[in-house]
Coordinates of all heavy atoms in Angstrom, one line a residue:
M1356 N 28.2 -13.6 -19.2 CA 27.9 -12.4 -18.4 C 29.2 -12.1 -17.6 O 29.8 -13.0 -17.1 CB 26.8 -12.8 -17.4 CG 26.7 -11.7 -16.4 SD 25.7 -11.9 -14.9 CE 24.6 -13.2 -15.1
T1357 N 29.5 -10.9 -17.5 CA 30.6 -10.4 -16.8 C 30.1 -9.7 -15.5 O 29.2 -8.8 -15.6 CB 31.5 -9.4 -17.6 OG1 31.9 -10.0 -18.8 CG2 32.7 -8.9 -16.8
I1358 N 30.7 -10.1 -14.4 CA 30.3 -9.4 -13.1 C 31.5 -8.6 -12.6 O 32.6 -9.1 -12.4 CB 30.0 -10.5 -12.0 CG1 28.8 -11.3 -12.5 CG2 29.7 -9.8 -10.7 CD1 28.5 -12.5 -11.7
D1359 N 31.3 -7.3 -12.6 CA 32.3 -6.4 -12.1 C 32.3 -6.0 -10.7 O 33.2 -5.5 -10.1 CB 32.4 -5.1 -13.0 CG 31.1 -4.3 -13.0 OD1 30.2 -4.7 -12.3 OD2 31.0 -3.3 -13.7
S1360 N 31.1 -6.3 -10.0 CA 31.0 -6.1 -8.6 C 29.9 -7.0 -8.1 O 29.0 -7.4 -8.8 CB 30.6 -4.6 -8.3 OG 29.3 -4.4 -8.7
L1361 N 30.1 -7.5 -6.8 CA 29.2 -8.4 -6.2 C 28.8 -7.9 -4.9 O 29.7 -7.6 -4.0 CB 29.9 -9.8 -6.1 CG 29.0 -10.9 -5.6 CD1 27.9 -11.2 -6.6 CD2 29.8 -12.1 -5.3
D1362 N 27.5 -7.7 -4.7 CA 27.0 -7.3 -3.4 C 26.5 -8.5 -2.6 O 25.8 -9.4 -3.1 CB 25.8 -6.3 -3.6 CG 26.2 -5.0 -4.3 OD1 27.3 -4.4 -3.9 OD2 25.5 -4.6 -5.2
V1363 N 26.8 -8.5 -1.3 CA 26.5 -9.6 -0.4 C 25.6 -9.0 0.7 O 26.1 -8.1 1.4 CB 27.7 -10.4 0.1 CG1 27.3 -11.5 1.1 CG2 28.6 -10.9 -1.0
S1364 N 24.4 -9.6 0.9 CA 23.6 -9.1 2.0 C 23.0 -10.3 2.7 O 22.8 -11.4 2.1 CB 22.5 -8.2 1.6 OG 21.6 -8.8 0.7
Y1365 N 22.8 -10.1 4.0 CA 22.2 -11.2 4.8 C 20.8 -10.8 5.3 O 20.5 -9.7 5.4 CB 23.1 -11.4 6.1 CG 24.5 -11.8 5.7 CD1 25.5 -10.9 5.6 CD2 24.8 -13.2 5.6 CE1 26.8 -11.3 5.3 CE2 26.1 -13.5 5.2 CZ 27.1 -12.6 5.1 OH 28.4 -13.0 4.8
G1366 N 20.0 -11.9 5.5 CA 18.6 -11.6 5.9 C 18.0 -12.9 6.4 O 18.6 -13.9 6.5
D1367 N 16.7 -12.7 6.8 CA 15.9 -13.8 7.2 C 15.6 -14.7 6.0 O 15.9 -14.3 4.8 CB 14.6 -13.4 7.9 CG 14.9 -12.7 9.2 OD1 15.8 -13.2 9.9 OD2 14.2 -11.8 9.6
M1368 N 15.0 -15.8 6.2 CA 14.7 -16.7 5.1 C 13.8 -16.0 4.1 O 13.0 -15.1 4.5 CB 14.0 -17.9 5.6 CG 14.8 -18.8 6.6 SD 16.2 -19.5 5.9 CE 15.5 -21.0 5.3
W1369 N 14.0 -16.2 2.8 CA 13.4 -15.5 1.8 C 11.9 -15.7 1.6 O 11.2 -14.8 1.2 CB 14.2 -15.8 0.5 CG 13.9 -14.9 -0.7 CD1 13.0 -15.0 -1.6 CD2 14.7 -13.7 -1.0 NE1 13.1 -14.0 -2.6 CE2 14.1 -13.2 -2.2 CE3 15.8 -13.1 -0.4 CZ2 14.6 -12.1 -2.8 CZ3 16.3 -12.0 -1.0 CH2 15.7 -11.5 -2.2
G1370 N 11.5 -17.0 1.7 CA 10.1 -17.3 1.5 C 9.8 -17.2 0.0 O 10.6 -17.4 -0.8
S1371 N 8.6 -16.7 -0.3 CA 8.2 -16.6 -1.7 C 8.5 -15.3 -2.3 O 8.2 -15.0 -3.4 CB 6.6 -16.9 -1.8 OG 5.9 -15.9 -1.0
H1372 N 9.0 -14.4 -1.5 CA 9.4 -13.0 -2.0 C 10.4 -13.1 -3.1 O 11.3 -13.9 -3.1 CB 10.0 -12.2 -0.9 CG 10.4 -10.8 -1.3 ND1 9.6 -9.8 -1.5 CD2 11.7 -10.4 -1.6 CE1 10.2 -8.7 -1.9 NE2 11.5 -9.0 -2.0
E1373 N 10.2 -12.3 -4.2 CA 11.1 -12.2 -5.3 C 11.4 -10.7 -5.5 O 10.5 -9.9 -5.4 CB 10.5 -12.8 -6.5 CG 10.4 -14.3 -6.4 CD 9.9 -14.9 -7.7 OE1 9.6 -14.2 -8.7 OE2 9.8 -16.2 -7.7
G1374 N 12.6 -10.4 -5.7 CA 13.0 -9.0 -6.0 C 14.5 -8.9 -5.8 O 15.2 -9.8 -5.4
P1375 N 15.0 -7.7 -6.0 CA 16.5 -7.4 -5.9 C 17.1 -7.3 -4.5 O 18.3 -7.2 -4.4 CB 16.6 -6.2 -6.7 CG 15.3 -5.4 -6.6 CD 14.3 -6.5 -6.4
T1376 N 16.3 -7.2 -3.5 CA 16.8 -7.0 -2.1 C 16.1 -7.9 -1.2 O 15.0 -8.4 -1.4 CB 16.6 -5.5 -1.7 OG1 15.2 -5.2 -1.6 CG2 17.3 -4.5 -2.6
H1377 N 16.8 -8.1 0.0 CA 16.1 -8.9 1.1 C 14.9 -8.1 1.6 O 14.9 -6.9 1.8 CB 17.1 -9.0 2.3 CG 18.0 -10.2 2.2 ND1 17.5 -11.5 2.3 CD2 19.3 -10.3 2.0 CE1 18.5 -12.3 2.1 NE2 19.6 -11.6 2.0
P1378 N 13.8 -8.9 1.8 CA 12.6 -8.2 2.4 C 12.9 -7.9 3.9 O 12.3 -7.0 4.4 CB 11.5 -9.3 2.3 CG 12.3 -10.6 2.1 CD 13.6 -10.3 1.5
N1379 N 13.8 -8.7 4.6 CA 14.0 -8.5 6.0 C 15.5 -8.6 6.3 O 16.0 -9.6 6.7 CB 13.3 -9.5 6.9 CG 11.8 -9.3 6.8 OD1 11.3 -8.3 6.9 ND2 11.1 -10.4 6.4
P1380 N 16.3 -7.6 5.9 CA 17.8 -7.7 6.1 C 18.2 -7.8 7.6 O 17.5 -7.3 8.4 CB 18.3 -6.4 5.4 CG 17.2 -5.5 5.5 CD 15.9 -6.3 5.4
I1381 N 19.4 -8.4 7.8 CA 19.9 -8.5 9.2 C 21.4 -8.1 9.1 O 22.0 -8.2 8.0 CB 19.8 -9.9 9.8 CG1 20.5 -10.9 9.0 CG2 18.3 -10.3 10.0 CD1 20.5 -12.3 9.6
P1382 N 22.0 -7.6 10.2 CA 23.4 -7.2 10.2 C 24.3 -8.5 10.0 O 23.9 -9.6 10.4 CB 23.6 -6.6 11.6 CG 22.3 -6.3 12.1 CD 21.3 -7.2 11.4
N1383 N 25.5 -8.2 9.4 CA 26.4 -9.3 9.2 C 26.8 -10.1 10.5 O 26.9 -11.3 10.5 CB 27.7 -8.8 8.6 CG 27.5 -8.2 7.2 OD1 26.4 -8.1 6.7 ND2 28.6 -7.7 6.6
A1384 N 26.9 -9.3 11.6 CA 27.3 -9.9 12.9 C 26.2 -10.9 13.3 O 26.4 -11.9 13.9 CB 27.5 -8.9 13.9
L1385 N 24.9 -10.5 13.1 CA 23.8 -11.4 13.5 C 23.8 -12.7 12.7 O 23.6 -13.8 13.2 CB 22.4 -10.7 13.4 CG 21.2 -11.5 13.7 CD1 21.3 -12.1 15.1 CD2 20.0 -10.7 13.6
A1386 N 24.1 -12.5 11.4 CA 24.1 -13.7 10.5 C 25.3 -14.6 11.0 O 25.1 -15.9 11.0 CB 24.4 -13.3 9.1
A1387 N 26.4 -14.1 11.4 CA 27.5 -14.9 11.9 C 27.1 -15.6 13.2 O 27.5 -16.8 13.3 CB 28.7 -14.0 12.1
R1388 N 26.4 -14.9 14.1 CA 26.0 -15.6 15.3 C 25.0 -16.7 15.0 O 25.0 -17.8 15.6 CB 25.3 -14.6 16.3 CG 26.4 -13.7 16.9 CD 25.8 -12.9 18.1 NE 24.7 -12.1 17.8 CZ 24.8 -10.8 17.3 NH1 26.0 -10.3 17.2 NH2 23.7 -10.1 17.1
R1389 N 24.1 -16.5 14.0 CA 23.1 -17.5 13.7 C 23.8 -18.7 13.0 O 23.5 -19.9 13.3 CB 22.1 -17.0 12.6 CG 21.1 -16.1 13.3 CD 20.1 -15.7 12.2 NE 19.0 -14.8 12.8 CZ 18.0 -14.3 12.1 NH1 17.9 -14.7 10.8 NH2 17.1 -13.6 12.7
H1390 N 24.9 -18.4 12.2 CA 25.6 -19.5 11.6 C 26.3 -20.4 12.7 O 26.2 -21.6 12.7 CB 26.7 -19.0 10.7 CG 27.5 -20.0 10.0 ND1 27.0 -20.6 8.8 CD2 28.6 -20.6 10.2 CE1 27.9 -21.5 8.4 NE2 28.9 -21.5 9.3
E1391 N 27.0 -19.7 13.6 CA 27.6 -20.4 14.7 C 26.7 -21.3 15.6 O 27.0 -22.3 16.1 CB 28.4 -19.5 15.6 CG 29.6 -18.9 15.0 CD 30.7 -20.0 14.6 OE1 30.9 -20.9 15.4 OE2 31.2 -19.9 13.5
A1392 N 25.4 -20.8 15.7 CA 24.4 -21.4 16.6 C 23.6 -22.5 15.8 O 22.8 -23.2 16.3 CB 23.5 -20.4 17.2
G1393 N 23.9 -22.6 14.5 CA 23.2 -23.6 13.6 C 21.8 -23.1 13.3 O 21.0 -24.0 12.9
M1394 N 21.5 -21.8 13.3 CA 20.2 -21.3 13.0 C 20.1 -20.9 11.6 O 21.1 -20.8 10.9 CB 19.9 -20.1 13.9 CG 19.9 -20.4 15.4 SD 19.8 -18.9 16.4 CE 18.2 -18.3 15.9
S1395 N 18.9 -20.7 11.1 CA 18.7 -20.4 9.7 C 18.9 -18.9 9.4 O 18.8 -18.0 10.3 CB 17.3 -20.8 9.2 OG 16.4 -20.1 10.0
Y1396 N 19.4 -18.6 8.2 CA 19.5 -17.2 7.6 C 19.6 -17.4 6.1 O 19.8 -18.5 5.6 CB 20.7 -16.5 8.2 CG 22.0 -17.1 7.9 CD1 22.8 -16.7 6.8 CD2 22.6 -18.1 8.7 CE1 24.0 -17.2 6.5 CE2 23.8 -18.7 8.4 CZ 24.5 -18.3 7.3 OH 25.7 -18.8 7.0
A1397 N 19.7 -16.3 5.4 CA 19.8 -16.3 4.0 C 20.9 -15.3 3.6 O 21.1 -14.2 4.2 CB 18.5 -15.9 3.3
V1398 N 21.6 -15.6 2.5 CA 22.6 -14.7 1.9 C 22.2 -14.4 0.4 O 21.9 -15.3 -0.3 CB 24.0 -15.4 1.9 CG1 25.0 -14.5 1.3 CG2 24.4 -15.9 3.2
L1399 N 22.1 -13.1 0.1 CA 21.7 -12.8 -1.3 C 23.0 -12.2 -2.0 O 23.7 -11.3 -1.5 CB 20.7 -11.7 -1.3 CG 20.2 -11.1 -2.6 CD1 19.6 -12.2 -3.5 CD2 19.3 -9.9 -2.4
L1400 N 23.3 -12.8 -3.1 CA 24.4 -12.3 -4.0 C 23.8 -11.6 -5.2 O 22.9 -12.1 -5.9 CB 25.2 -13.5 -4.5 CG 25.8 -14.4 -3.4 CD1 26.5 -15.6 -4.0 CD2 26.7 -13.6 -2.5
S1401 N 24.1 -10.3 -5.3 CA 23.6 -9.5 -6.4 C 24.6 -8.7 -7.1 O 25.7 -8.4 -6.5 CB 22.4 -8.7 -5.9 OG 22.9 -7.8 -4.9
S1402 N 24.3 -8.2 -8.2 CA 25.2 -7.3 -9.0 C 24.4 -6.2 -9.6 O 23.4 -6.5 -10.3 CB 26.0 -8.1 -10.1 OG 26.8 -7.3 -10.8
R1403 N 24.8 -5.0 -9.3 CA 24.0 -3.8 -9.8 C 22.5 -3.9 -9.6 O 21.7 -3.8 -10.5 CB 24.3 -3.7 -11.3 CG 25.8 -3.4 -11.6 CD 26.0 -3.3 -13.1 NE 27.4 -3.1 -13.3 CZ 28.0 -2.1 -14.0 NH1 27.2 -1.2 -14.5 NH2 29.2 -2.1 -14.2
E1404 N 22.2 -4.2 -8.3 CA 20.8 -4.4 -7.9 C 20.0 -5.5 -8.6 O 18.8 -5.4 -8.7 CB 20.1 -3.0 -8.0 CG 20.7 -1.9 -7.1 CD 20.0 -0.6 -7.2 OE1 18.8 -0.6 -7.7 OE2 20.5 0.4 -6.7
R1405 N 20.7 -6.4 -9.1 CA 20.1 -7.6 -9.8 C 20.5 -8.8 -9.0 O 21.7 -9.2 -9.0 CB 20.5 -7.7 -11.3 CG 19.8 -8.7 -12.0 CD 20.3 -8.8 -13.5 NE 20.2 -10.2 -13.8 CZ 21.3 -10.9 -14.1 NH1 22.5 -10.4 -14.1 NH2 21.1 -12.2 -14.4
P1406 N 19.5 -9.6 -8.5 CA 19.9 -10.8 -7.7 C 20.4 -11.9 -8.7 O 19.9 -12.1 -9.8 CB 18.6 -11.3 -7.1 CG 17.5 -10.7 -8.0 CD 18.1 -9.4 -8.5
L1407 N 21.5 -12.5 -8.3 CA 22.1 -13.6 -9.0 C 21.8 -14.9 -8.4 O 21.5 -15.9 -9.0 CB 23.6 -13.4 -9.1 CG 24.1 -12.1 -9.8 CD1 25.6 -11.9 -9.7 CD2 23.6 -12.0 -11.2
A1408 N 22.0 -15.0 -7.1 CA 21.8 -16.2 -6.3 C 21.5 -15.9 -4.9 O 21.9 -14.9 -4.3 CB 23.1 -17.1 -6.3
M1409 N 20.7 -16.8 -4.3 CA 20.4 -16.6 -2.9 C 20.6 -18.0 -2.2 O 20.2 -19.0 -2.8 CB 18.9 -16.2 -2.7 CG 18.6 -15.6 -1.3 SD 17.9 -16.8 -0.2 CE 16.5 -17.3 -1.2
V1410 N 21.3 -18.0 -1.1 CA 21.6 -19.2 -0.4 C 20.9 -19.1 1.0 O 21.1 -18.2 1.7 CB 23.1 -19.3 -0.2 CG1 23.4 -20.6 0.6 CG2 23.8 -19.3 -1.5
E1411 N 20.1 -20.2 1.3 CA 19.5 -20.3 2.6 C 20.2 -21.4 3.4 O 20.4 -22.5 2.9 CB 18.0 -20.7 2.5 CG 17.1 -19.6 1.8 CD 15.7 -20.1 1.7 OE1 15.4 -21.3 1.6 OE2 14.8 -19.2 1.6
R1412 N 20.5 -21.0 4.6 CA 21.1 -22.1 5.5 C 19.9 -22.5 6.4 O 19.3 -21.8 7.1 CB 22.2 -21.5 6.4 CG 22.7 -22.6 7.3 CD 23.8 -22.0 8.2 NE 24.7 -23.0 8.8 CZ 24.4 -23.7 9.9 NH1 23.3 -23.4 10.6 NH2 25.2 -24.6 10.4
W1413 N 19.7 -23.8 6.3 CA 18.6 -24.5 7.1 C 19.3 -25.2 8.3 O 20.5 -25.5 8.2 CB 17.8 -25.4 6.3 CG 17.0 -24.8 5.2 CD1 17.3 -23.6 4.5 CD2 15.8 -25.2 4.6 NE1 16.4 -23.3 3.5 CE2 15.4 -24.3 3.6 CE3 15.0 -26.3 4.9 CZ2 14.3 -24.5 2.9 CZ3 13.9 -26.5 4.1 CH2 13.5 -25.6 3.1
P1414 N 18.5 -25.6 9.3 CA 19.1 -26.4 10.4 C 19.6 -27.7 9.9 O 19.3 -28.2 8.8 CB 17.9 -26.5 11.4 CG 17.0 -25.4 11.0 CD 17.1 -25.1 9.6
R1415 N 20.4 -28.3 10.7 CA 21.0 -29.7 10.5 C 21.9 -29.7 9.2 O 21.9 -30.7 8.5 CB 19.9 -30.7 10.5 CG 19.1 -30.9 11.8 CD 18.2 -32.0 11.8 NE 17.3 -32.1 10.6 CZ 16.1 -31.5 10.5 NH1 15.6 -30.8 11.6 NH2 15.4 -31.6 9.5
G1416 N 22.6 -28.7 8.9 CA 23.5 -28.7 7.8 C 22.9 -28.7 6.4 O 23.6 -29.1 5.5
M1417 N 21.7 -28.3 6.3 CA 21.1 -28.3 5.0 C 21.2 -26.9 4.4 O 21.1 -25.9 5.1 CB 19.6 -28.7 5.0 CG 19.4 -30.1 5.5 SD 20.1 -31.4 4.5 CE 19.1 -31.2 3.0
W1418 N 21.4 -26.8 3.0 CA 21.5 -25.5 2.3 C 20.6 -25.6 1.1 O 20.4 -26.6 0.5 CB 22.9 -25.3 1.8 CG 23.9 -25.2 3.0 CD1 24.5 -26.2 3.6 CD2 24.4 -24.0 3.5 NE1 25.4 -25.7 4.6 CE2 25.3 -24.4 4.6 CE3 24.2 -22.6 3.3 CZ2 26.0 -23.4 5.3 CZ3 24.8 -21.7 4.1 CH2 25.7 -22.1 5.1
R1419 N 20.1 -24.5 0.7 CA 19.3 -24.4 -0.5 C 19.8 -23.1 -1.3 O 19.9 -22.1 -0.7 CB 17.8 -24.2 -0.2 CG 17.0 -24.0 -1.5 CD 15.5 -24.2 -1.3 NE 15.3 -25.7 -1.2 CZ 14.2 -26.2 -0.7 NH1 13.2 -25.5 -0.3 NH2 14.0 -27.5 -0.7
V1420 N 20.0 -23.3 -2.5 CA 20.5 -22.3 -3.4 C 19.5 -22.0 -4.5 O 19.0 -22.9 -5.1 CB 21.9 -22.7 -4.1 CG1 22.4 -21.6 -5.0 CG2 22.9 -23.0 -3.0
Y1421 N 19.1 -20.7 -4.7 CA 18.2 -20.3 -5.7 C 19.0 -19.5 -6.7 O 19.8 -18.6 -6.3 CB 17.1 -19.4 -5.2 CG 16.2 -20.1 -4.3 CD1 16.3 -19.9 -2.9 CD2 15.1 -20.9 -4.7 CE1 15.4 -20.6 -2.0 CE2 14.2 -21.5 -3.9 CZ 14.4 -21.3 -2.5 OH 13.5 -21.9 -1.7
L1422 N 18.9 -19.8 -8.0 CA 19.5 -19.0 -9.1 C 18.4 -18.1 -9.7 O 17.2 -18.6 -9.8 CB 20.1 -19.9 -10.1 CG 21.2 -20.8 -9.5 CD1 21.7 -21.7 -10.6 CD2 22.3 -20.0 -8.8
F1423 N 18.7 -16.9 -10.1 CA 17.7 -16.0 -10.6 C 18.0 -15.7 -12.1 O 19.1 -15.8 -12.6 CB 17.8 -14.6 -9.9 CG 17.4 -14.7 -8.5 CD1 18.3 -15.1 -7.5 CD2 16.1 -14.3 -8.1 CE1 17.9 -15.1 -6.2 CE2 15.7 -14.4 -6.8 CZ 16.6 -14.8 -5.8
D1424 N 16.9 -15.4 -12.8 CA 17.0 -15.0 -14.3 C 17.1 -13.5 -14.4 O 17.2 -12.8 -13.4 CB 15.8 -15.5 -15.1 CG 14.5 -14.9 -14.7 OD1 14.4 -13.9 -14.0 OD2 13.5 -15.4 -15.2
D1425 N 17.2 -13.0 -15.6 CA 17.3 -11.5 -15.8 C 16.2 -10.7 -15.3 O 16.3 -9.5 -15.2 CB 17.6 -11.3 -17.3 CG 18.9 -11.8 -17.8 OD1 19.8 -12.0 -16.9 OD2 19.1 -12.0 -19.0
A1426 N 15.0 -11.3 -15.1 CA 13.8 -10.6 -14.6 C 13.7 -10.7 -13.1 O 12.6 -10.4 -12.5 CB 12.6 -11.1 -15.3
S1427 N 14.8 -11.2 -12.4 CA 14.8 -11.3 -10.9 C 13.8 -12.4 -10.4 O 13.4 -12.3 -9.3 CB 14.5 -10.0 -10.2 OG 15.5 -9.0 -10.6
R1428 N 13.5 -13.4 -11.3 CA 12.7 -14.5 -10.8 C 13.6 -15.7 -10.6 O 14.5 -16.0 -11.3 CB 11.7 -14.9 -12.0 CG 10.7 -13.8 -12.2 CD 9.7 -14.3 -13.3 NE 10.5 -14.7 -14.5 CZ 10.4 -14.2 -15.7 NH1 9.5 -13.2 -15.9 NH2 11.1 -14.6 -16.7
R1429 N 13.2 -16.5 -9.5 CA 13.9 -17.7 -9.2 C 13.6 -18.7 -10.3 O 12.5 -19.0 -10.6 CB 13.5 -18.2 -7.9 CG 13.9 -17.3 -6.7 CD 13.5 -17.9 -5.4 NE 12.1 -18.0 -5.3 CZ 11.4 -18.3 -4.2 NH1 12.1 -18.6 -3.1 NH2 10.1 -18.4 -4.2
V1430 N 14.7 -19.3 -10.9 CA 14.5 -20.2 -12.0 C 15.1 -21.6 -11.7 O 14.8 -22.6 -12.4 CB 15.1 -19.7 -13.3 CG1 14.2 -18.5 -13.8 CG2 16.5 -19.4 -13.2
Q1431 N 16.0 -21.7 -10.7 CA 16.6 -23.0 -10.4 C 16.8 -23.1 -8.9 O 17.1 -22.1 -8.3 CB 17.9 -23.1 -11.1 CG 18.6 -24.4 -11.0 CD 17.9 -25.5 -11.7 OE1 17.6 -25.4 -12.9 NE2 17.6 -26.6 -11.0
M1432 N 16.6 -24.3 -8.4 CA 16.8 -24.5 -7.0 C 17.8 -25.7 -6.8 O 17.6 -26.7 -7.5 CB 15.5 -24.8 -6.3 CG 15.6 -25.0 -4.8 SD 13.9 -25.1 -4.1 CE 13.3 -26.7 -4.8
I1433 N 18.7 -25.6 -5.9 CA 19.7 -26.6 -5.7 C 19.7 -26.9 -4.2 O 19.9 -26.0 -3.4 CB 21.1 -26.3 -6.1 CG1 21.1 -25.8 -7.6 CG2 22.1 -27.4 -5.9 CD1 22.4 -25.1 -8.1
D1434 N 19.5 -28.1 -3.8 CA 19.5 -28.5 -2.3 C 20.8 -29.2 -2.1 O 21.3 -30.0 -2.8 CB 18.4 -29.4 -2.0 CG 17.0 -28.7 -1.9 OD1 17.0 -27.5 -1.6 OD2 16.0 -29.3 -2.0
C1435 N 21.4 -28.9 -0.9 CA 22.7 -29.4 -0.5 C 22.7 -29.8 0.9 O 22.0 -29.2 1.7 CB 23.8 -28.4 -0.7 SG 24.0 -27.7 -2.3
S1436 N 23.5 -30.9 1.2 CA 23.6 -31.3 2.6 C 25.0 -31.1 3.1 O 25.9 -30.8 2.3 CB 23.2 -32.7 2.8 OG 24.2 -33.6 2.2
A1437 N 25.3 -31.2 4.4 CA 26.6 -31.1 4.9 C 27.5 -32.2 4.4 O 28.7 -32.0 4.4 CB 26.6 -31.1 6.4
R1438 N 27.0 -33.2 3.9 CA 27.8 -34.3 3.3 C 28.3 -34.0 1.9 O 29.1 -34.7 1.3 CB 27.0 -35.6 3.2 CG 26.6 -36.1 4.6 CD 25.7 -37.4 4.5 NE 24.5 -37.2 3.8 CZ 23.4 -36.7 4.2 NH1 23.3 -36.3 5.5 NH2 22.3 -36.7 3.5
G1439 N 27.8 -32.9 1.4 CA 28.4 -32.4 0.1 C 27.6 -32.8 -1.1 O 27.9 -32.4 -2.2
C1440 N 26.6 -33.7 -1.0 CA 25.9 -34.1 -2.2 C 24.8 -33.1 -2.4 O 24.1 -32.7 -1.5 CB 25.3 -35.5 -2.1 SG 24.0 -35.7 -0.8
C1441 N 24.6 -32.7 -3.7 CA 23.6 -31.8 -4.1 C 22.8 -32.4 -5.1 O 23.2 -33.2 -5.9 CB 24.3 -30.5 -4.6 SG 25.2 -29.6 -3.4
W1442 N 21.5 -31.9 -5.2 CA 20.6 -32.4 -6.2 C 19.9 -31.2 -6.8 O 19.5 -30.3 -6.0 CB 19.7 -33.5 -5.8 CG 18.9 -33.2 -4.6 CD1 17.6 -32.7 -4.5 CD2 19.3 -33.2 -3.2 NE1 17.2 -32.5 -3.2 CE2 18.3 -32.8 -2.4 CE3 20.5 -33.5 -2.5 CZ2 18.3 -32.7 -1.0 CZ3 20.6 -33.5 -1.2 CH2 19.5 -33.0 -0.4
L1443 N 19.6 -31.2 -8.1 CA 18.9 -30.1 -8.7 C 17.4 -30.4 -8.8 O 17.0 -31.6 -8.9 CB 19.4 -29.9 -10.2 CG 20.8 -29.5 -10.3 CD1 21.2 -29.5 -11.8 CD2 21.1 -28.2 -9.7
T1444 N 16.6 -29.4 -8.6 CA 15.2 -29.6 -8.8 C 14.8 -28.5 -9.8 O 15.5 -27.6 -10.1 CB 14.5 -29.4 -7.4 OG1 14.8 -28.1 -6.9 CG2 14.8 -30.4 -6.4
G1445 N 13.6 -28.6 -10.2 CA 13.0 -27.7 -11.2 C 12.8 -26.3 -10.7 O 13.3 -26.0 -9.6
T1446 N 12.0 -25.6 -11.4 CA 11.6 -24.3 -11.0 C 11.0 -24.3 -9.6 O 10.1 -25.2 -9.3 CB 10.6 -23.7 -11.9 OG1 11.2 -23.7 -13.2 CG2 10.2 -22.3 -11.6
P1447 N 11.4 -23.5 -8.6 CA 11.0 -23.6 -7.2 C 9.5 -23.2 -7.0 O 8.9 -23.6 -6.0 CB 11.9 -22.7 -6.5 CG 12.4 -21.7 -7.5 CD 12.4 -22.5 -8.8
D1448 N 8.9 -22.5 -7.9 CA 7.5 -22.0 -7.6 C 6.5 -22.9 -8.3 O 6.7 -23.5 -9.2 CB 7.4 -20.6 -8.1 CG 8.2 -19.6 -7.3 OD1 8.4 -19.9 -6.1 OD2 8.7 -18.6 -7.8

């Protein structure tokens, strides 16, 4: 797959919602303040209105990454900690 453009958007935690856009988008500046305060938020990476990956920042330095298939469904989940170790889990749903 070739990606010629990448769209980045910020929003509240994704929950079980699936689709090409954030259900509750937030401004970049608010996401930056939440990051500095250690609060949760989500980042959606998409190309041509197709989600590729979504990253959730959880409290205490935890991160969760979801990868999407061609039908915009989450197919892989990766959990990460601030210590850098990550582990793969199966389909998130």
Side-chain angles (χ1 to χ4, degrees):
M1356 172 193 339
T1357 302
I1358 298 173
D1359 58 3
S1360 68
L1361 186 65
D1362 297 313
V1363 179
S1364 64
Y1365 299 92
D1367 290 326
M1368 301 294 273
W1369 194 269
S1371 62
H1372 175 78
E1373 293 183 359
T1376 61
H1377 271 291
N1379 297 307
I1381 61 173
N1383 298 2
L1385 178 56
R1388 287 194 301 273
R1389 286 184 180 184
H1390 183 83
E1391 289 298 319
M1394 298 172 63
S1395 61
Y1396 64 94
V1398 181
L1399 177 65
L1400 304 176
S1401 57
S1402 178
R1403 297 179 185 233
E1404 298 183 14
R1405 185 179 145 246
L1407 303 172
M1409 197 263 305
V1410 180
E1411 292 179 336
R1412 182 180 196 273
W1413 295 30
R1415 297 186 310 270
M1417 298 297 294
W1418 297 84
R1419 175 165 283 165
V1420 179
Y1421 295 100
L1422 303 178
F1423 292 85
D1424 67 8
D1425 291 338
S1427 300
R1428 293 182 307 240
R1429 295 181 295 185
V1430 293
Q1431 184 70 50
M1432 182 173 66
I1433 305 167
D1434 284 335
C1435 304
S1436 73
R1438 296 180 301 278
C1440 68
C1441 295
W1442 55 98
L1443 296 174
T1444 59
T1446 304
D1448 294 328

